[in-house]
Every structure is written in structure tokens, then in C-alpha cells.
Amino acid sequence: MMARMHPVFERLGESRLAAVVMIENEEHAVPLARALLAGGVTAMELTLRTDVALESLKQIGIEVPEMMVGAGTVLREEQVSAARDAGAAFGMAPGTNRRILAAAKDAGFPFAPGIATPTDIELALEFDCRVLKFFPAEGMGGLKYLTSIAIPYRQLGLRYIPLGGVHEGNLASYTTSPDILAVGGSWLAPKPLLDTGDWKGIESLARRAVALIGGTGE
Ligand code: 3PG
């Protein structure tokens, strides 16, 4: 009954942490990816919320190949192929949109749609998604709520990535659950640190997060 997980998501599961980043200045892309990596965070969701997002994604793929970078906030069908062409390892969205899931499936592009209810999970299952973004994790009730909606589907081997409202204070609680593949959020790349080019500051946030989930950082 359990489908094998896409290798990209296996890798995300090994990294256990994903930084959610919004890049407004494309010159920030490479130093940001390097800073996160130096702190031990090896995966990021680069949100397609700015004009420079795709170019930033491309630059990271070229300059920082050790960083696994996926495209987030995929809201339109054409963004599926655009993200793939820019080198995104996977796609994510805040919600579960049939047209986007069909496009991702057709393209063989690993995609984690956002789910918040059992109905969302079942829609994602129609498109063979096995890794789901749980969004907005804290707003919906955190791990307690996720566990209660995950139970009926456990035999299918679904794994979740809680995002939305996660921070240093609640991060570790998520990693105790076998339902969780990885966890993360935007606190790892705060705008004030990006704006001031405080890469050391971002590296320490990454290192602290890695330590909080029981890793060692680098
Ligand atoms: C996302 O796109 O995953 C969210 O914006 C992350 O939520 P956060 O900003 O609360 O971490």
C-alpha cells in the first residue's frame, strides 16, 4: 500500500529542516544559501513571491549545489515548469490546487501541496502526493491537530512538513513525531538580517535550529 518516496523527499527527510526564504534582492541569494549551509541547514523552500525568485533559485543551484532548493508558493500552473527549468528540486504550495497538482504530476515534478484538513489530504492523494506541507501548522493547532488528522492515513505512509508559525520555541516538539518528514520556517532567514547582509547572524540561527532538533550543525 505504501508508495516509495521520491528521492528528493528522502533527502529532505535526511536534512530534517527547511528554511523558508523570500528573496527581494537577487544578490542575497547565494550568500544566504551559503550561510544556511554553513550553519547545517541543507534544504530551503524559496518562495515565488518576488520578481527575483526564479533567478535567485537558479543562482543557488549553480553556485551552491550542496543546498537543496525547492520552489514555494507555487500558485499558477505555469510556475511548475518555470520552477523546474530554474532548477528547483521540488515544489510546494500553501494549498492543494488540482490544476497545479496535475501539472506537477504530468511533469514528474516532486510536489508537496499544502494541506490543513482530511479533505485536502484526500485531494492530494488523488494526485499521488505522499509528502504534504502542513500549513499553517501552528495556526491549525500544531502537532496535536496534525496527529489527529494523520491517523486514518498512516497505512499509506504519508509524511508531513509543518510550516507556518514554527520557531525556535516550538521546533523540537514537531520532530518527535514519526509523521513528520522535515520542519522549518522563515525565522531562519529574517528580513532584517537579509537587508543588512548579516550572514553570520543567519548562520547562527541555522546552527541553533540544527542543535534544537538534535543535530550537530557544521
Ligand atoms: C511558508 O510559505 O511556508 C510560510 O510562509 C512559512 O511560515 P512562517 O513564515 O510562519 O515560517
Side-chain angles (χ1 to χ4, degrees), residues 199-210:
W199 312 121
K200 281 282 164 212
I202 288 175
E203 182 183 329
S204 1
L205 287 174
R207 186 166 286 119
R208 278 218 298 271
V210 171

Side-chain angles (χ1 to χ4, degrees), residues 115-160:
I115 62 91
T117 67
T119 306
D120 297 338
I121 294 175
E122 291 183 23
L123 178 53
L125 285 174
E126 283 184 33
F127 295 89
D128 301 328
C129 299
R130 289 292 180 275
V131 173
L132 308 172
K133 167 171 170 166
F134 170 44
F135 180 80
E138 282 295 299
M140 291 303 294
L143 185 60
K144 188 165 181 238
Y145 172 79
L146 176 63
T147 303
S148 61
I149 62 167
I151 285 171
Y153 307 102
R154 278 216 176 121
Q155 69 282 7
L156 303 176
L158 304 185
R159 302 289 297 281
Y160 303 86

